[in-house]
Amino acid sequence: MSIRSLRRAAAPPALAAAVVMAAGACGGADAGSGSDGTRLSGTIRVDGSSTVAPLSTAAAQLFQVENPGVRITVGTSGTGGGFEKFCAGETDISDASRPIDDDEKAACEKNGVRFEEFQVANDGLSVVVNKDNDWAECLTVEQLRKIWEPGSKVNNWNQVDPKFPDQKLELFGAGTDSGTFDYFTEAVNGEEGASRTDYSPSEDDNVTVQGVAGSKGGLGYFGLSYYEENRDELKVLKIDGGGGCVEPTRQTVQNGTYKPLSRPLFIYPKASSLQKPEVLAFVEFYVERNAEIAESSLFVPLNSEQEAELRRDLDALKAQQGS
């Protein structure tokens, strides 16, 4: 099964076992062996952001080619839901589309869960509309705020701009457990979690795709990679963050010109899990093959400075582990 197929088939509430790609080993160390030459086995549990899940699934697929004795499950409980499981000790790695917050750090500390943080890719939140929407090409952040601020009563496109037609506005977006929700609300409304509530929420970005694609007046938001996967079904809007209208692309996300909806993506491996050779090997693989993994799953790779920092973080981790 291809990465594209996995993205469309993912079931958000459950842990779905990543599928092993039927391909030969990709060089490097002996297939299926750890740093000490022993064959790797066991199960690695990953959960969290639905945005980051395709990235971790791609990493799992590639890793399992060389390590067929290791089973990796990738769940999509949302960034917040993932951290709840992680800080309760239920998972080995938490996917996150925002940094861990203070309350989550406190929960982890209370339960004795220590962790490492790695930025593994970049992403831009894309604002999308129905393919039949021929009136909107660019929205300002102020217009987005007018639509999404708490208590907003905007329910027609002509309330967004008098030049727009009399067309019912139907809204779709991330659920409250999603890091996408946290990032979007802070970037647009100035406060994390501040949002109108009368919209169709889901931690599954595919539900948002279907909702917007099925409504002429639909508008939604999610990670850029999901738009790229569904560009035949949706239309993406340019966003004016104060410096003119900019379309979300890999280039504008990586160089920071797509404002204010560009963001970093993370994985958080648990320190105690890193004592297990299969988990440490997977994290090392994730970092060392980072650019390939990001490209294969349609994410924006790290820039040179971010890549250098990631390598330094890995070197520090390996030194701690005595690798």
Side-chain angles (χ1 to χ4, degrees):
M1 182 181 288
S2 68
I3 292 168
R4 177 183 295 263
S5 299
L6 277 167
R7 296 174 69 107
R8 294 184 179 276
L15 288 174
V19 178
V20 179
M21 296 174 66
C26 302
D30 290 340
S33 300
S35 58
D36 61 354
T38 59
R39 292 187 66 81
L40 295 173
S41 62
T43 298
I44 302 173
R45 297 161 298 172
V46 183
D47 205 326
S49 167
S50 62
T51 298
V52 183
L55 193 72
S56 289
T57 298
Q61 286 183 319
L62 293 170
F63 181 78
Q64 288 176 307
V65 169
E66 300 184 18
N67 301 276
V70 179
R71 179 174 180 264
I72 304 174
T73 62
V74 180
T76 53
S77 299
T79 296
F83 277 133
E84 286 182 17
K85 292 182 178 181
F86 182 72
C87 294
E90 298 175 14
T91 57
D92 300 299
I93 298 172
S94 207
D95 288 339
S97 57
R98 60 162 172 77
I100 188 170
D101 67 26
D102 290 341
D103 288 343
E104 291 158 346
K105 288 179 182 177
C108 278
E109 184 175 357
K110 179 181 178 181
N111 293 325
V113 174
R114 296 184 298 108
F115 54 83
E116 302 291 337
E117 177 188 270
F118 295 99
Q119 182 182 346
V120 289
N122 296 296
D123 189 30
L125 294 189
S126 51
V127 178
V128 296
V129 294
N130 187 275
K131 272 286 190 180
D132 292 334
N133 182 325
D134 58 3
W135 57 88
E137 301 295 333
C138 175
L139 293 180
T140 65
V141 173
E142 288 73 20
Q143 287 173 318
L144 286 176
R145 185 178 304 120
K146 184 178 181 181
I147 294 169
W148 286 101
E149 65 187 352
S152 172
K153 301 301 181 183
V154 174
N155 59 15
N156 195 297
W157 277 95
N158 61 18
Q159 293 174 277
V160 180
D161 188 323
K163 298 177 183 177
F164 293 160
D166 179 8
Q167 173 67 53
K168 182 180 179 181
L169 176 66
E170 294 190 64
L171 298 175
F172 304 85
T176 56
D177 273 342
S178 170
T180 297
F181 173 82
D182 295 336
Y183 191 87
F184 183 84
T185 51
E186 182 170 6
V188 172
N189 294 327
E191 181 182 349
E192 185 177 299
S195 174
R196 66 188 296 171
T197 58
D198 56 338
Y199 72 101
S200 298
S202 178
E203 268 73 38
D204 181 4
D205 294 323
N206 290 308
V207 173
T208 300
V209 171
Q210 294 164 10
V212 176
S215 169
K216 184 175 181 179
L219 179 145
Y221 64 88
F222 42 54
L224 174 61
S225 59
Y226 275 90
Y227 165 68
E228 292 185 333
E229 276 290 310
N230 296 279
R231 61 172 60 246
D232 293 338
E233 301 176 52
L234 302 170
K235 170 183 169 181
V236 72
L237 297 182
K238 297 176 182 177
I239 301 299
D240 184 351
C245 296
V246 178
E247 181 176 344
T249 65
R250 297 188 185 195
Q251 181 179 4
T252 60
V253 168
Q254 196 173 52
N255 65 23
T257 57
Y258 181 63
K259 299 178 180 179
L261 295 178
S262 297
R263 61 176 176 172
L265 301 177
F266 303 93
I267 61 169
Y268 287 82
K270 188 166 58 180
S272 59
S273 294
L274 289 168
Q275 299 296 320
K276 299 188 290 186
E278 67 273 18
V279 177
L280 179 59
F282 177 58
V283 171
E284 290 179 350
F285 181 92
Y286 208 139
V287 171
E288 291 169 354
R289 301 276 286 274
N290 182 260
E292 176 188 352
I293 292 165
E295 291 284 357
S296 69
S297 49
L298 301 181
F299 281 88
V300 181
L302 301 175
N303 61 36
S304 57
E305 292 181 1
Q306 293 168 333
E307 178 74 21
E309 182 176 357
L310 179 62
R311 299 286 175 173
R312 287 195 296 270
D313 290 343
L314 177 63
D315 289 343
L317 174 63
K318 293 168 73 173
Q320 292 173 13
Q321 301 295 323
S323 299

